[in-house]
Amino acid sequence: MLSKMRLKTLLIVVFVFSIPFIQKVFVKNSAEVDVLFCTYDIGDSNPMKRVMKELESLSISYRVLALGKSADVFRENPNHLSLELPDLMSTRETLLSDDLLRLIENAVKPKMVIAGMASAGQAQVLNFFKGKGAYTIAFYDNFDSPVGKEYIQAFLRTVIPIDEYFLPSETTLPGFQKLDATKQVKLSVLGQPVLEDWDDIFAKTDRKEFRSRLGLTEQDQTILFVGGYDDTYAVYFRLFVDAMRAFPDQKVIVTYHPKTNGSLEKSIIAEENVANIQVIDGPSTAKVATIADVLVCHKSSVGVQALYVGLPVVYVVKKGDLKNFAIDQGLAVSVETEQDLVETLQRILSAANRNYPPVQGLGIPKEATKKMGERVKEILKER
């Protein structure tokens, strides 16, 4: 019989020489799929959820690599890659290690990768799989020009020239044609799938029943404020709250940003003691918008979504602090003082028209989800 020492030595030798074989088997058994989605936050998760459903209807297989906040969105999705990645994605600048990239590679082998632009990690995933021969696409979920857009800078600093960008509107195209990282890449204006959520909600909501549920009558005029979370947000939300003293006969509803819990808004309203403001914890912003006469926000991208369905929009922001095509083209109003806000809202509410036509000139294609599904199918067929 072998001694314990010799047996231990033999087992170590066998294990060491087996490592390459084990690695090959692990890689070989990685899931071969058509598409790998890489998400980071709510902004890219919500539209991509619609595209995923469209791919299912087209029998196109996919997996989801959910980083950052988006991990909570896709945790229950059966196509979610549960790799037990360490919580390293708390900032947009955080980079994935080579070991983590190899772990992802061992888990999935995609023909195509579609990623949002909210973090450097997403750029790394695109870069990595482009090097492996996958077709790489970045999805821009915002309607403003990408030039100087803060939340995508970590992505742009990290990404190499990939294959294609999916853009939401014609108004965003010129900015991508200027950026060094994107100007030589195929740029496809396909729309923004999340707007279809607004279409669905506006078509299906029983406004009379919903108003009754909120304690509103048919005659009540309603001002909707959509919350934010940046460094200057609290100052301008307080300005908005103070301005609402001029509208004692109107109902004022506040929805807060998904990244927050509404405590800031509730505390400021309590401090200013303005009685006609109600913070909503349940219904979505789009749902509340169905019964609103005007939407007010600080820097929220929801402003353009509201314009899409024909709702008047007012941005409360320091002059020059928000680069926004809707403001530049006169499609929305920007104010920075309490008096300007009061006068603007009085003018809009005096029109007393709840049937505003959708704003023209947004350059947003319809049926974005379908268009993206068709484009993905086309690329996969070509490859």
Side-chain angles (χ1 to χ4, degrees):
M1 293 182 65
L2 292 171
S3 68
K4 289 184 178 180
M5 181 62 71
R6 290 180 63 195
L7 179 59
K8 183 176 181 181
T9 302
L10 179 61
L11 289 173
I12 291 172
V13 171
V14 170
F15 176 75
V16 169
F17 280 97
S18 297
I19 287 175
F21 174 75
I22 293 170
Q23 288 176 333
K24 287 178 182 177
V25 171
F26 191 30
V27 172
K28 185 178 179 180
N29 289 338
S30 62
E32 294 190 5
V33 296
D34 295 316
V35 181
L36 172 66
F37 289 93
C38 183
T39 58
Y40 180 80
D41 59 16
I42 304 300
D44 56 31
S45 296
N46 286 339
M48 288 299 97
K49 282 195 296 184
R50 274 190 168 269
V51 178
M52 290 171 199
K53 289 182 180 179
E54 180 70 12
L55 296 192
E56 289 173 9
S57 73
L58 297 172
S59 299
I60 295 174
S61 61
Y62 70 90
R63 295 290 185 273
V64 187
L65 174 63
L67 307 175
K69 276 282 187 184
S70 71
D72 295 331
V73 177
F74 293 104
R75 201 173 304 281
E76 302 303 320
N77 188 307
N79 291 309
H80 177 226
L81 289 178
S82 20
L83 300 177
E84 302 298 329
L85 293 176
D87 185 19
L88 298 175
M89 305 307 297
S90 57
T91 69
R92 301 186 190 281
E93 292 78 17
T94 304
L95 295 174
L96 294 167
S97 68
D98 290 340
D99 288 341
L100 288 177
L101 287 170
R102 281 192 291 269
L103 179 65
I104 296 166
E105 180 190 14
N106 287 340
V108 63
K109 185 179 179 181
K111 298 174 186 175
M112 175 187 296
V113 180
I114 302 177
M117 298 176 58
S119 67
Q122 289 170 298
Q124 281 184 286
V125 171
L126 288 170
N127 296 348
F128 181 81
F129 281 106
K130 182 171 176 59
K132 303 295 179 181
Y135 192 91
T136 47
I137 299 172
F139 169 70
Y140 184 56
D141 60 74
N142 203 284
F143 293 98
D144 295 331
S145 170
V147 179
K149 198 67 178 175
E150 184 178 350
Y151 84 96
I152 64 169
Q153 296 310 307
F155 176 94
L156 292 174
R157 285 193 297 269
T158 308
V159 74
I160 63 174
I162 56 173
D163 294 298
E164 189 167 349
Y165 283 77
F166 284 176
L167 308 182
S169 70
E170 294 291 345
T171 59
T172 56
L173 181 59
F176 278 87
Q177 292 171 331
K178 295 176 183 177
L179 292 174
D180 289 337
T182 61
K183 62 185 179 182
Q184 302 298 327
V185 178
K186 181 176 177 60
L187 304 172
S188 300
V189 178
L190 300 179
Q192 166 55 291
V194 78
L195 293 178
E196 293 162 23
D197 291 335
W198 285 66
D199 286 333
D200 291 345
I201 290 170
F202 267 69
K204 296 174 182 177
T205 297
D206 183 335
R207 290 167 173 74
K208 185 175 181 180
E209 184 277 333
F210 186 52
R211 293 176 70 85
S212 176
R213 182 145 53 98
L214 295 178
L216 304 174
T217 70
E218 286 294 317
Q219 289 71 42
D220 286 329
Q221 287 188 310
T222 306
I223 299 169
L224 168 60
F225 184 93
V226 179
Y229 62 92
D230 75 343
D231 293 342
T232 58
Y233 170 66
V235 172
Y236 286 93
F237 179 70
R238 190 178 295 274
L239 183 153
F240 168 80
V241 170
D242 289 339
M244 291 305 98
R245 291 192 176 92
F247 300 92
D249 297 326
Q250 278 73 31
K251 303 295 182 181
V252 183
I253 297 176
V254 173
T255 60
Y256 48 86
H257 195 278
K259 286 186 177 180
T260 71
N261 60 11
S263 59
L264 173 66
E265 287 83 356
K266 291 172 184 177
S267 65
I268 290 176
I269 292 168
E271 289 170 13
E272 300 300 329
N273 193 27
V274 182
N276 63 328
I277 304 179
Q278 176 184 2
V279 178
I280 293 287
D281 292 310
S284 67
T285 294
K287 180 93 170 179
V288 180
T290 64
I291 52 91
D293 293 277
V294 59
L295 183 143
V296 186
C297 61
H298 178 43
K299 297 179 181 178
S300 176
S301 60
V302 171
V304 175
Q305 297 171 24
L307 288 173
Y308 172 81
V309 294
L311 198 61
V313 173
V314 180
Y315 291 90
V316 185
V317 63
K318 182 180 179 181
K319 187 175 181 180
D321 201 23
L322 177 63
K323 294 180 180 179
N324 182 299
F325 81 94
I327 296 171
D328 293 341
Q329 296 183 19
L331 304 175
V333 181
S334 173
V335 299
E336 66 174 324
T337 68
E338 183 178 334
Q339 181 180 347
D340 286 344
L341 176 58
V342 170
E343 292 175 356
T344 299
L345 289 177
Q346 286 174 339
R347 184 175 68 252
I348 292 172
L349 293 173
S350 66
N353 177 13
R354 287 181 181 149
N355 296 310
Y356 294 93
V359 171
Q360 302 299 313
L362 293 177
I364 303 172
K366 291 280 190 178
E367 298 186 317
T369 302
K370 182 180 179 181
K371 285 182 170 64
M372 290 185 184
E374 289 173 346
R375 178 62 184 142
V376 169
K377 184 177 180 179
E378 176 188 17
I379 295 166
L380 291 173
K381 186 177 180 181
E382 290 173 352
R383 294 173 69 84

